[in-house]
Amino acid sequence: MALKEKKSVYEIMLFVAYGFYMLVGLLFLAGSLYWGKLFNYWAFSLFALFASQAYLQHRLTNLILGIPILAISIFFTLQFVSMDKNVIIQTMLGISLTSIVLSIIMIFGYLKMSFKENR
């Protein structure tokens, strides 16, 4: 029987980031199906990409995914800041700020996991 490896705090934060982006993709896909009555390939691609990343745990892909998501999150944060302050806009602003933090975690996940000992 193989011993279970204990996950570090940083690995757990990476899985939280993967889960967040998978949830965003699923909610975006469900909203498109419910209100627009059409299948959103971008939302499904976001979900599939992060589901496969959570399964494969490729370090370089964290860096490759983190950089464009950081840029997109900053763009949407600035866009939501310039809009009116109603509940929906404040919720979207919170999601964008959370996305910024989690994309930074993914970017530094590449560095942090690169120095982890190979077993």
Side-chain angles (χ1 to χ4, degrees):
M1 182 182 234
L3 293 174
K4 280 185 146 180
E5 287 186 31
K6 185 174 179 182
K7 299 284 184 186
S8 69
V9 174
Y10 210 82
E11 288 174 316
I12 293 171
M13 289 191 310
L14 279 174
F15 280 111
V16 168
Y18 299 152
F20 173 78
Y21 290 117
M22 285 190 294
L23 182 65
V24 166
L26 281 178
L27 289 175
F28 192 32
L29 180 63
S32 296
L33 288 173
Y34 182 74
W35 286 294
K37 305 290 189 237
L38 48 106
F39 187 77
N40 190 331
Y41 292 104
W42 288 105
F44 179 74
S45 298
L46 181 70
F47 171 75
L49 189 66
F50 279 99
S52 64
Q53 177 62 12
Y55 179 72
L56 298 174
Q57 300 176 8
H58 192 258
R59 291 187 309 250
L60 184 60
T61 308
N62 285 336
L63 181 66
I64 293 169
L65 291 174
I67 291 172
I69 288 177
L70 178 62
I72 291 167
S73 299
I74 290 171
F75 173 76
F76 279 115
T77 300
L78 293 174
Q79 185 177 6
F80 292 134
V81 164
S82 68
M83 293 181 171
D84 292 335
K85 300 292 182 199
N86 62 21
V87 176
I88 295 173
I89 299 300
Q90 289 178 352
T91 303
M92 296 304 290
L93 181 63
I95 290 171
S96 296
L97 291 173
T98 304
S99 181
I100 288 173
V101 171
L102 293 176
S103 63
I104 290 172
I105 288 173
M106 287 182 59
I107 290 170
F108 286 111
Y110 170 73
L111 296 172
K112 188 79 168 172
M113 297 300 155
S114 293
F115 295 118
K116 187 179 175 183
E117 293 181 28
N118 292 333
R119 297 178 191 173

